[in-house]
Amino acid sequence: MNPTPAVTLIVLSLALALQPGCATVRPRRDFPSASVVSQQLTKSTRSWDGNLLPPYPAGQPEVTIRRVIIPVGARLDIHLHPMINAGVLVKGELTVVSADGKKLRLKTGDPIVELVNMRHYGINEGRVPAEIIIVYAGAVGMPTSIVRER
């Protein structure tokens, strides 16, 4: 059974709601003018490099939400994701580099629809630790990332 677009939207909305100050569920009585703010950060059928996203994997759907903190100057190992995933950089700056040399530079608040089954890495070239929340939509038993063997 594959996750429906509605399930994926709910999960991504949850991930965004985890950001401090990003969502208000109900106005407080002492702030009657408070209102819910909903902002679409991205909507896409393609990853950031322009490739079409693959179909969801077969099997029991499993959603994973991860918070990754990348220290200043750190470079992640070359890896790939075998499933669709998307995230929001909640702090700092991050550069993502694909195996074919394409680069995506993210700053605080930027969304990313990640590459699927394509090797890439991230590097924090900023001045503060980069923090990203990522939602992975896969199936039970699938790893979220596969690091290149050395």
Side-chain angles (χ1 to χ4, degrees):
M1 185 176 193
N2 294 333
T4 66
V7 170
T8 303
L9 178 62
I10 290 167
V11 171
L12 289 173
S13 298
L14 174 63
L16 294 176
L18 293 174
Q19 294 186 73
C22 187
T24 302
V25 176
R26 181 181 312 159
R28 291 175 30 187
R29 289 185 187 159
D30 54 339
F31 292 101
S33 63
S35 61
V36 173
V37 175
S38 174
Q39 178 184 17
Q40 180 172 297
L41 298 179
T42 190
K43 181 178 181 177
S44 183
T45 57
R46 297 177 181 273
S47 57
W48 65 263
D49 69 345
N51 287 324
L52 279 173
L53 294 171
Y56 286 109
Q60 173 61 47
E62 182 175 63
V63 173
T64 303
I65 301 173
R66 297 187 65 89
R67 178 186 313 261
V68 179
I69 299 172
I70 305 157
V72 173
R75 177 182 159 164
L76 300 174
D77 290 333
I78 296 173
H79 62 280
L80 63 81
H81 306 287
M83 65 184 69
I84 294 173
N85 67 97
V88 176
L89 189 68
V90 295
K91 183 179 175 186
E93 298 174 20
L94 184 64
T95 301
V96 183
V97 183
S98 66
D100 61 2
K102 291 180 184 171
K103 289 184 179 182
L104 175 67
R105 297 185 195 287
L106 299 169
K107 61 184 182 326
T108 300
D110 285 346
I112 180 174
V113 178
E114 264 280 29
L115 305 175
V116 179
N117 290 319
M118 180 180 222
R119 297 200 184 281
H120 61 281
Y121 65 91
I123 185 168
N124 181 352
E125 299 171 314
R127 296 180 184 176
V128 299
E131 183 175 338
I132 188 166
I133 294 180
I134 308 164
V135 178
Y136 299 87
V140 171
M142 292 180 73
T144 57
S145 296
I146 300 171
V147 176
R148 181 180 76 184
E149 293 182 19
R150 295 182 191 267

